[in-house]
Amino acid sequence: MRRAGSGRTDRDGPTPDAGAMDTTDEERGTAAEGSGDPAAGGHVRALDGMRAVAVLLVLLFHLRFPGFSAGFLGVDIFFVLSGFLITSLLLTELDRTGRLSLPEFWARRARRLLPALVVLLLVVASVTWLQGTFTERASVRGDLLATTGYVANWHFINTSSYFADIGVDSPLEHTWSLAIEEQFYLLWPLVVFGVALLWKRQPRAGVGTVAVLGSAISAGLLWLLWSPGSVERAYMGTDARIFEPLVGAAGAALVATPSVRRWLTRWGGVVLGCGILGLVSGILLIDASPSSYYFGGALLVAIATLSIVGPLWLGRGGVLSDVLGWSPIAWIGVVSYGAYLWHWPLTVWLGARQETGGGLLVRRLGVIALTFGIAAISYHAIEHPIRRWRFGSRATTGARSRRARQRRATLIAIPVSLLAVACISVAATRVPDIPSSVPSMMLVGDSVPLQLSVAMDRALTDRGWRLASATFGACAVTGETLARPDGLPIDKVDVCTEQIVRAQDRLVREVDPDVVLWWDRWSLANFLTPGGDFIRSGTARFWDLRRRGLRLAVDRLASRGATVVFVATEPPGQAVTGGRCTDTECPWWLRFQIDHYADITTRWNAIIQHFAERHPGHSRFVSVTDVICATDVAPCDDRIDGVPARPDGTHYKRTGEDLVIETLLRELAPVMGRSSTTPA
């Protein structure tokens, strides 16, 4: 990872998740090991060890190793490191030269981060082109383009869930944090530049003040934007997560102040001990109560991380510095950027996220081995050579001229390379049009059919059909603004009210489906009318508006002659009581489905069944409940040979996925046989 030093303009700071995991030879400097004084030009190997701990936490969390359910906090550690080291670099440059060279800074960041990311994106595009179903291609295209533009966090807020299995796993979902990091790299130097102009005599104090105020506002937004059962807006939003780099930035401004540095040098051991205690306490607290992360837990982790980084930076880490600076641990930190980039797509491609299954441990260990093997190759073959590259020979050009040419070449290469990646991504993920002679099915509904879409795509392809999907997690097919029990809208307002109906209508026009499969449970939720009235689920007005919305939606979906097939909403599985829904915490939506299966869910099923019976020309009703559930209660017993068909109580996996698709296709056979040109 980078750290500020004297004299060298090539030194950088870190990137969390992305860049907070790297260290360059230039950044190691020549001072005695362990010196973190920016004036000394030293390299702090213990911070490499901190990066190693952080990336291992994230890796083990994603691989679902027991005991690491709070491993996502490794991202928080990276963010704090990033803010601290980048700000130290900027303040050092201000102290040394009295100015900031923003183009030089951005060029260094691009040389450090972009090449390895470009390689990853090209590999993901190639794998999708070679092996992806049409459904996967359509899904990954948006992921590739959002990652290329460093806006993946805003993209994934509306298309995925970081903590729950609600859809198709994207091999690029982890790049949401790279997007936040790059946005920080773009904007924070501009803020520091502006502060330096306003506080010419005390830029450190100005930078520290802005960082503290910004982190306080951002941490407050994390609290306010959090919604039970739908955490993505708070967890992935730049505005709600930028407080962690800003906490690091505030710490860098403090440590750069001579009086604070002297105090920290004297009391560094005590501060370090408090930081370790705070970090461990934060991990235990959040592990026991995940919602506490949003109500101060994340801020506690950030401050605790800073309390560890500061003493390590100044060489006051004692035994901890020795442990974290041990060569094998420090090496993991050196290649941590590549490890972060590659661990998640490898996890997805090797199916290592399953909770049970044959060869699972082997797959997980294989992911770890491949991750660090590829990370080492990436570092030595791509990242390090490009970062060390010099434009022109030393014999024919001066240092300043060579750096200027290198900067110009890098800044020109950025848009060229990103445009090339975007074009290749679009070409690799192209979905061929569906010929009129090929029958097609369109899925509409929530995260349950969304997660089944890839497997359903393969099953239908084997039968000579094509699949199109207009499924959206946490949205009703009818497109209302859904609301929580307190009357506030859930996070995905724009998606549910605008995108979902547009996507359905577009696919009806373009695909002209023979069958539309309607399967969602969010039709049961409270919602808001266009006028803002709160409609509570189960009330007389709720049922009147639901029936009206049902008729209008069917008219749209069947406007070109499709048969709309309703799938009955089944009860949650028993696994909800041992996982997402405990005695102390249960997302309101899960609790609603459990408490109201016998009245609201069963009544909705009766309504759509009655509708299908009254309109047999263009609608059907099917149910998988009797096959999936041994009991018709909520939660129901959905075990297959002792293994839950839905490991989280809602979404089908492995044997459950196979069984539910087999059941659906059997139930759909009369409708598909009527439309199909190929025997089912």
Side-chain angles (χ1 to χ4, degrees):
M1 185 140 306
R2 301 156 284 281
R3 45 143 307 199
S6 65
R8 302 203 181 221
T9 59
D10 293 306
R11 292 180 184 165
D12 272 313
T15 80
D17 271 17
M21 316 171 191
D22 52 39
T23 306
T24 70
D25 289 343
E26 297 98 324
E27 291 151 9
R28 289 192 171 88
T30 58
E33 185 65 41
S35 173
D37 191 335
H43 169 69
V44 185
R45 287 174 59 87
L47 293 187
D48 287 334
M50 282 286 288
R51 296 177 201 100
V53 171
V55 77
L56 289 173
L57 283 173
V58 173
L59 175 59
L60 296 175
F61 165 70
H62 281 157
L63 289 175
R64 293 178 171 171
F65 272 90
F68 289 92
S69 59
F72 63 90
L73 294 176
V75 174
D76 302 63
I77 295 172
F78 284 133
F79 278 154
V80 175
L81 272 170
S82 176
F84 183 92
L85 296 174
I86 285 296
T87 306
S88 295
L89 168 72
L90 296 171
L91 293 177
T92 298
E93 185 175 351
L94 276 174
D95 287 342
R96 188 176 65 249
T97 67
R99 53 185 288 274
L100 289 178
S101 176
L102 297 181
E104 183 72 28
F105 171 84
W106 288 323
R108 289 196 306 268
R109 291 289 76 224
R111 289 201 309 274
R112 173 64 190 99
L113 301 177
L114 192 56
L117 179 63
V118 165
V119 172
L120 173 70
L121 293 175
L122 293 177
V123 171
V124 169
S126 299
V127 171
T128 304
W129 175 59
L130 292 171
Q131 298 184 356
T133 65
F134 295 132
T135 301
E136 287 173 311
R137 289 188 184 186
S139 174
V140 173
R141 169 178 285 192
D143 304 342
L144 283 163
L145 295 178
T147 302
T148 302
Y150 283 104
V151 291
N153 61 318
W154 298 108
H155 170 72
F156 284 117
I157 283 173
N158 291 325
T159 62
S160 68
S161 172
Y162 191 67
F163 296 102
D165 295 329
I166 68 162
V168 180
D169 282 333
S170 169
L172 294 173
E173 188 173 357
H174 65 315
T175 62
W176 69 269
S177 60
L178 307 189
I180 292 179
E181 188 66 12
E182 193 65 21
Q183 293 159 26
F184 176 74
Y185 286 158
L186 179 64
L187 297 177
W188 181 241
L190 292 172
V191 173
V192 174
F193 181 84
V195 169
L197 292 178
L198 295 175
W199 277 281
K200 293 183 178 180
R201 294 187 177 182
Q202 293 182 315
R204 297 190 195 100
V207 169
T209 300
V210 171
V212 169
L213 291 176
S215 60
I217 294 172
S218 177
L221 287 174
L222 181 71
W223 184 316
L224 294 173
L225 292 172
W226 177 76
S227 173
S230 185
V231 304
E232 284 66 45
R233 176 60 184 88
Y235 188 76
M236 295 185 181
T238 306
D239 49 0
R241 292 301 301 274
I242 205 67
F243 74 90
E244 289 163 321
L246 289 177
V247 165
L254 284 173
V255 172
T257 304
S259 59
V260 175
R261 191 195 318 242
R262 289 193 296 269
W263 180 87
L264 192 58
T265 300
R266 180 179 180 184
W267 296 99
V270 175
V271 173
L272 180 71
C274 292
I276 295 173
L277 179 62
L279 186 59
V280 172
S281 299
I283 292 174
L284 294 176
L285 170 68
I286 293 166
D287 186 46
S289 177
S291 63
S292 64
Y293 178 87
Y294 304 91
F295 302 140
L299 184 61
L300 169 63
V301 169
I303 294 173
T305 299
L306 178 62
S307 299
I308 297 172
V309 170
L312 292 177
W313 177 255
L314 295 179
R316 304 297 295 173
V319 175
L320 182 63
S321 291
D322 296 335
V323 173
L324 294 176
W326 184 44
S327 294
I329 296 178
W331 178 85
I332 293 175
V334 169
V335 302
S336 55
Y337 177 46
Y340 185 81
L341 286 180
W342 286 99
H343 85 281
W344 178 252
L346 289 170
T347 298
V348 172
W349 291 334
L350 294 180
R353 293 196 77 222
Q354 298 178 9
E355 296 175 354
T356 59
L360 181 57
L361 179 60
V362 173
R363 289 198 298 274
R364 289 175 173 174
L365 294 177
V367 167
I368 295 173
L370 286 171
T371 291
F372 288 106
I374 296 175
I377 295 172
S378 175
Y379 179 80
H380 292 290
I382 300 172
E383 303 165 46
H384 188 61
I386 291 177
R387 195 165 56 243
R388 295 279 292 177
W389 171 71
R390 295 292 179 265
F391 195 97
S393 66
R394 296 178 183 271
T396 58
T397 60
R400 180 173 298 179
S401 175
R402 188 170 61 251
R403 287 197 300 270
R405 293 183 183 182
Q406 183 178 6
R407 180 176 62 247
R408 285 195 296 270
T410 301
L411 295 177
I412 292 172
I414 293 173
V416 172
S417 59
L418 293 179
L419 179 60
V421 170
C423 291
I424 293 172
S425 299
V426 170
T429 56
R430 178 180 175 272
V431 179
D433 294 334
I434 302 177
S436 58
S437 60
V438 175
S440 60
M441 179 185 296
M442 184 172 108
L443 292 182
V444 296
D446 54 25
S447 60
V448 172
L450 171 61
Q451 192 171 91
L452 292 170
S453 58
V454 171
M456 182 72 93
D457 195 342
R458 293 193 176 97
L460 288 175
T461 300
D462 292 341
R463 289 163 170 78
W465 280 60
R466 282 282 299 275
L467 180 74
S469 178
T471 50
F472 289 81
C475 288
V477 172
T478 43
E480 292 87 2
T481 299
L482 303 179
R484 300 182 304 192
D486 58 7
L488 295 176
I490 66 170
D491 293 346
K492 300 183 179 182
V493 173
D494 293 340
V495 176
C496 294
T497 58
E498 298 176 12
Q499 295 184 37
I500 188 168
V501 173
R502 278 203 307 266
Q504 292 169 2
D505 292 345
R506 177 180 57 82
L507 286 179
V508 168
R509 291 191 306 270
E510 296 176 357
V511 176
D512 189 12
D514 298 274
V515 176
V516 175
L517 189 68
W518 174 324
W519 191 7
D520 85 309
R521 54 227 70 235
W522 285 92
S523 292
L524 308 173
N526 315 305
F527 62 90
L528 303 175
T529 66
D533 294 339
F534 175 61
I535 308 300
R536 187 174 297 279
S537 180
T539 61
R541 192 179 180 196
F542 171 85
W543 292 118
D544 288 342
L545 293 175
R546 268 283 159 251
R547 290 187 179 93
R548 184 185 307 172
L550 174 64
R551 290 193 300 270
L552 293 174
V554 171
D555 288 343
R556 286 190 301 103
L557 297 171
S559 61
R560 296 177 66 91
T563 299
V564 178
V565 179
F566 302 105
V567 181
T569 300
E570 71 280 38
Q574 287 181 338
V576 297
T577 58
R580 299 164 64 197
C581 202
T582 64
D583 292 337
T584 58
E585 285 199 359
C586 185
W588 69 269
W589 181 232
L590 274 181
R591 174 53 60 193
F592 175 91
Q593 293 178 77
I594 293 172
D595 293 344
H596 293 286
Y597 175 73
D599 52 359
I600 294 177
T601 302
T602 54
R603 182 170 179 179
W604 171 247
N605 287 339
I607 288 173
I608 57 178
Q609 182 177 13
H610 181 63
F611 183 95
E613 291 170 350
R614 288 182 57 197
H615 303 87
H618 62 258
S619 58
R620 293 287 190 277
F621 175 84
V622 300
S623 176
V624 299
T625 301
D626 291 344
V627 175
I628 298 300
C629 293
T631 54
D632 191 19
V633 296
C636 77
D637 181 1
D638 63 352
R639 290 172 295 177
I640 303 172
D641 296 329
V643 178
R646 296 164 291 176
D648 65 353
T650 302
H651 303 94
Y652 294 91
K653 288 287 191 180
R654 298 177 298 281
T655 305
E657 180 180 81
D658 296 337
L659 178 59
V660 75
I661 290 177
E662 175 188 338
T663 302
L664 281 173
L665 292 178
R666 184 172 62 250
E667 295 288 336
L668 292 169
V671 179
M672 292 176 63
R674 185 179 63 190
S675 303
S676 179
T677 58
T678 302

